[in-house]
Amino acid sequence: MEKHQPSPESSSEECTVLEAPPPDPNGCLLHTGKVVELYCSECSCAVCDDCISGDHEGHSTAPIGPALELQRTALKDRLESSKTRLPQISDTLSLVKEILQQLTNQRTSIEEDIQSSFEDLHKQLDVRKSVLMMELEVTYGLKQKVLQAQVDSLLRGEGDIQDSCTQTEETLAGEACAASLQAEQGLAERLEELTNQGLPCHPEENDQLDLILETDGLRKSIHNLGAVVSTSAVASQSEAMGAGLEQCIVGQPASVTIVTRDKSGGACRSGNALLSAEVFTPDGSMVDGDILDHKNGTYEFIYTLPKEGHFSLALRLYDQHIKGSPFKLTVRRPCDIDPDVSSPPTTTATSSAANATPSTGSSEGAKRRGKSPAQKKKASKRASSALGTPRRKTNNPIEDDLIFRIGSKGRNRGEFTNLQGVAASSTGKILIADSNNQCVQIFSNEGEFKSRFGVRGRSPGQLQRPTGVAVHPSGDIIIADYDNKWVSIFTSDGKFKAKLGSSRLMGPKGVTVDHNGHVIVVDNKSCTVFIFQPTGKLISKFGSRGNGDKQFAGPHFAAVNNNNEIIVTDFHNHSVKVFTPDGELVLKFGSNGEGNGQFNAPTGVAVDTNGNIIVADWGNSRIQVFDGSGSFLSYINTSADPLYGPQGLALTSTGHVVVADSGNHCFKVYRYLQ
């Protein structure tokens, strides 16, 4: 008997599931059983024989193998191209996150500043209110005392007269007799005396008590008090143009115009963008210049190059290169320029913004230094007799000599790249802020290398561009980090403890410590002096950008004298200024020039035990000595080994002068007789 196959509806517990065979990867999708062996180049697809006689009839075909290989190769190239984008995206993501975090930090800092400022204003208003109430009470009390005394005197006089009159009337009402004669004479004398007494019958004071309170102006000031400043400018869209990218002659100012734009390429119409400029010389040093903010979204960078050669100009907006940056410059001597040629292209520059049209800027603007005071031009090297060691007067009471020099250009211990800040400890140590090597090197007073510390980076405890260094009485080492925009505190053996000034500082250059242990920071970028407690609490600040007595233009370093006054070198104003801790100007001396007591961009400063002020004259490559009133005394003798752009300066515990000779990549120690 034949067995029947159970149907799908069968109630049998056994059920066999048949799977469809996998499709042939080389089979044609349109014609079952056919294999694709050709590639239709017109339709960019694989075809079989039936396809050729059908929809693809007359089309150009080729074997499928080479087409597959070609497609695979193209796909691999696209894969590799896509992978190469990942690091760029990752870097951009990290950068944007960092900017976002900085933005958040800025907001927090500004919130703290607003709270602190208005709390101070409230305190000032309460103090003023108390003063006015006190003045009211004092004035009222004085006037009330006079009037009350007059009232009391008149009341007494009135009462005496009334009593005498009553007594006299009673006497007159009786019979006249010899016995009352003497009493009546006494009454008459009493009445005459009271009538003629000098009572104050005219008011001795007035009732005026007025309040003059000019609140309209104050209300207007409060209405306009403070402003949140920002701009939408981004580096990737901003451009540079101008003669400074087309021609540059040794010793002649060159100008570059920067036009800031937003992410869509639209021109920004407001100023205050954080723009920096760096001109790198062939030997790796940097030239300084001025940035002029036209307050309309355009800026002008003006610089002068000291020698011919190939230079590099980096223009950054919020630490990012703008279009075409860095630009390559070729600087020539005036004699190399053909006078018969109009505006010769003596400078070549790679700029994609050469044909952009900037907004018309105001002729007046706020000057701002290039990004970093460490990024400065080297002083022009001149004969030591004319610049390094000007001729002394025969009656000069101070004689100084080079004791030793330490260092050369490099990255090993005892070698430097753009050394800047200098400090000397009471324990016989010399500390050098090695800016481009991101470290601090420590030596004995005799020049023996002791140690170094510092790791490059932008995290707490790391150094990005250390420019200033000081030693706290506790032994801690305080470092101003220009690029990290904060001050770091390390132990004497280089272990990180804390940072201060984050989100407040814009470009700290110099740092020192006053007699109260407060940390004084010279912020080169914001042209402000900050005073902190070592815990990081801001005590006070003073200064702003400008050329006024209480203003700065690129201040560099500071020192403290015996009166706890703060001495600041004002780089672009070519002067030295002395302030009280409250920011009141005590003394200002110096002007631009090469004569005795004149400066070409002063940098380092120190004070000896007699109150004499020692100043590193950076542009003139010399060291000058002044008395406490700012009168010129002498030069430090540097003829044995001329200076080249001196920066930080300090007095060692043995009374010698140590100076950072940045142009020669070394520090030098001079004998100094006070």
Side-chain angles (χ1 to χ4, degrees):
M1 190 174 188
E2 198 172 344
K3 292 184 178 179
H4 296 281
Q5 179 78 18
S7 67
E9 292 81 11
S10 171
S11 61
S12 172
E13 294 180 0
E14 295 183 4
C15 180
T16 302
V17 178
L18 300 179
E19 294 183 358
D24 185 358
N26 294 317
C28 181
L29 298 177
L30 298 177
H31 304 97
T32 306
K34 291 289 184 178
V35 177
V36 292
E37 296 178 343
L38 300 173
Y39 178 77
C40 179
S41 57
E42 295 184 20
C43 301
S44 300
C45 65
V47 295
C48 67
D49 293 338
D50 290 353
C51 294
I52 294 175
S53 60
D55 294 339
H56 298 273
E57 185 176 2
H59 291 185
S60 176
T61 60
I64 189 67
L68 290 174
E69 289 298 325
L70 186 62
Q71 176 68 28
R72 279 293 178 96
T73 301
L75 185 58
K76 288 179 180 178
D77 291 342
R78 182 60 58 86
L79 175 63
E80 292 302 319
S81 177
S82 297
K83 285 183 176 180
T84 58
R85 286 278 291 162
L86 291 176
Q88 180 186 7
I89 294 173
S90 178
D91 291 344
T92 304
L93 180 61
S94 299
L95 177 61
V96 173
K97 285 183 177 179
E98 181 182 352
I99 294 173
L100 180 60
Q101 183 60 49
Q102 291 175 352
L103 178 66
T104 303
N105 293 341
Q106 284 293 96
R107 182 194 66 176
T108 302
S109 175
I110 292 174
E111 285 178 349
E112 293 175 356
D113 287 343
I114 291 174
Q115 290 286 355
S116 175
S117 297
F118 279 83
E119 286 175 3
D120 288 342
L121 288 175
H122 280 302
K123 291 179 181 178
Q124 292 295 327
L125 286 173
D126 288 340
V127 169
R128 186 58 186 162
K129 175 184 175 182
S130 299
V131 169
L132 287 175
M133 294 296 289
M134 186 180 301
E135 289 180 356
L136 175 63
E137 288 303 313
V138 170
T139 304
Y140 166 78
L142 292 174
K143 297 172 78 71
Q144 184 266 350
K145 183 177 181 180
V146 171
L147 292 173
Q148 187 62 52
Q150 185 175 8
V151 167
D152 294 342
S153 177
L154 290 173
L155 286 175
R156 285 194 301 272
E158 181 186 39
D160 290 344
I161 292 175
Q162 285 180 346
D163 291 343
S164 296
C165 288
T166 299
Q167 186 177 0
T168 301
E169 288 173 350
E170 291 175 353
T171 300
L172 291 175
E175 293 291 335
C177 61
S180 63
L181 180 62
Q182 187 174 0
E184 290 177 0
Q185 289 177 348
L187 287 172
E189 292 176 357
R190 175 64 175 166
L191 286 173
E192 182 179 6
E193 178 184 352
L194 292 174
T195 301
N196 295 328
Q197 69 177 336
L199 291 175
C201 294
H202 300 285
E204 296 182 340
E205 194 37 284
N206 57 62
D207 61 354
Q208 183 184 11
L209 267 181
D210 294 326
L211 175 64
I212 299 176
L213 199 61
E214 297 292 343
T215 58
D216 291 342
L218 180 59
R219 287 192 180 97
K220 184 177 180 180
S221 297
I222 292 174
H223 179 75
N224 297 321
L225 179 61
V228 177
V229 177
S230 186
T231 174
S232 298
V234 294
S236 61
Q237 297 291 332
S238 298
E239 303 167 320
M241 63 209 67
L245 298 180
E246 297 170 358
Q247 64 176 7
C248 194
I249 302 172
V250 173
Q252 296 185 12
S255 174
V256 176
T257 297
I258 299 98
V259 181
T260 56
R261 301 186 185 278
D262 60 23
K263 65 178 182 179
S264 302
C268 297
R269 302 298 181 186
S270 61
N272 298 298
L274 297 182
L275 183 69
S276 65
E278 303 166 333
V279 181
F280 294 89
T281 65
D283 61 2
S285 61
M286 284 166 269
V287 173
D288 202 13
D290 288 316
I291 295 179
L292 190 67
D293 185 352
H294 292 300
K295 301 298 182 181
N296 63 354
T298 67
Y299 303 79
E300 187 176 4
F301 176 55
I302 303 173
Y303 63 96
T304 303
L305 297 179
K307 57 186 176 181
E308 60 184 321
H310 297 284
F311 290 71
S312 174
L313 169 61
L315 294 172
R316 292 185 176 91
L317 186 66
Y318 300 104
D319 290 332
Q320 302 296 310
H321 283 284
I322 69 170
K323 281 185 179 180
S325 177
F327 304 93
K328 303 300 181 183
L329 310 176
T330 300
V331 184
R332 300 181 181 177
R333 296 174 297 175
C335 59
D336 294 335
I337 308 303
D338 186 353
D340 296 329
V341 179
S342 175
S343 300
T346 55
T347 301
T348 58
T350 57
S351 172
S352 61
N355 297 320
T357 303
S359 304
T360 302
S362 168
S363 61
E364 297 181 357
K367 276 190 175 181
R368 180 162 59 226
R369 288 281 320 284
K371 175 182 174 65
S372 171
Q375 302 156 355
K376 293 199 296 285
K377 62 183 178 182
K378 282 189 173 182
S380 301
K381 217 168 195 177
R382 307 184 186 180
S384 61
S385 60
L387 192 55
T389 55
R391 188 175 300 277
R392 295 164 176 256
K393 298 179 181 179
T394 56
N395 61 350
N396 191 336
I398 303 177
E399 294 296 337
D400 315 278
D401 297 293
L402 176 66
I403 302 175
F404 62 83
R405 60 174 284 172
I406 299 292
S408 59
K409 188 174 183 179
R411 295 190 174 276
N412 298 318
R413 67 180 191 175
E415 296 178 338
F416 308 98
T417 306
N418 195 19
L419 67 168
Q420 295 198 35
V422 175
S425 73
S426 59
T427 58
K429 301 290 177 60
I430 296 173
L431 294 84
I432 307 293
D434 193 357
S435 178
N436 287 10
N437 286 335
Q438 292 85 28
C439 69
V440 169
Q441 300 199 46
I442 304 176
F443 300 81
S444 70
N445 279 349
E446 294 73 33
E448 179 186 357
F449 177 84
K450 292 296 185 181
S451 64
R452 62 181 281 178
F453 66 89
V455 177
R456 180 179 182 178
R458 295 186 178 275
S459 300
Q462 297 178 324
L463 301 175
Q464 190 65 23
R465 190 188 293 273
T467 53
V469 61
V471 180
H472 195 272
S474 65
D476 289 341
I477 300 171
I478 304 168
I479 302 173
D481 194 329
Y482 191 92
D483 278 3
N484 277 332
K485 302 176 184 178
W486 63 54
V487 171
S488 297
I489 300 178
F490 295 82
T491 62
S492 58
D493 55 358
K495 295 180 180 179
F496 177 70
K497 290 182 65 175
K499 67 174 184 176
L500 56 86
S502 179
S503 300
R504 292 186 184 273
L505 302 173
M506 297 176 63
K509 170 74 174 181
V511 64
T512 189
V513 181
D514 69 7
H515 299 324
N516 298 318
H518 298 151
V519 179
I520 299 170
V521 183
V522 180
D523 194 315
N524 171 271
K525 201 166 187 179
S526 67
C527 294
T528 304
V529 175
F530 291 83
I531 303 177
F532 295 94
Q533 290 182 352
T535 59
K537 181 180 179 181
L538 178 64
I539 298 174
S540 64
K541 63 180 181 179
F542 62 86
S544 61
R545 189 180 307 280
N547 54 13
D549 287 346
K550 295 184 180 181
Q551 294 179 312
F552 304 104
H556 269 48
F557 293 97
V560 176
N561 65 15
N562 296 332
N563 298 325
N564 209 34
E565 295 167 337
I566 304 168
I567 305 169
V568 183
T569 53
D570 196 351
F571 189 85
H572 283 299
N573 284 330
H574 310 289
S575 61
V576 174
K577 297 176 180 178
V578 183
F579 297 87
T580 67
D582 297 325
E584 294 300 320
L585 182 70
V586 176
L587 173 66
K588 171 186 174 183
F589 61 91
S591 61
N592 191 16
E594 298 182 4
N596 295 351
Q598 292 184 311
F599 301 109
N600 182 7
T603 49
V605 62
V607 182
D608 67 20
T609 55
N610 295 324
N612 295 323
I613 302 171
I614 310 167
V615 183
D617 190 357
W618 177 80
N620 287 328
S621 288
R622 63 187 182 185
I623 302 174
Q624 300 192 67
V625 183
F626 302 82
D627 65 16
S629 63
S631 297
F632 173 78
L633 292 178
S634 178
Y635 299 99
I636 300 290
N637 188 345
T638 63
S639 59
D641 190 352
L643 297 171
Y644 191 13
Q647 292 216 44
L649 185 149
L651 276 171
T652 68
S653 57
T654 52
H656 299 320
V657 171
V658 55
V659 61
D661 191 353
S662 61
N664 289 317
H665 307 289
C666 67
F667 72 88
K668 296 174 180 176
V669 176
Y670 294 93
R671 187 172 293 105
Y672 175 72
L673 304 177
Q674 300 183 28

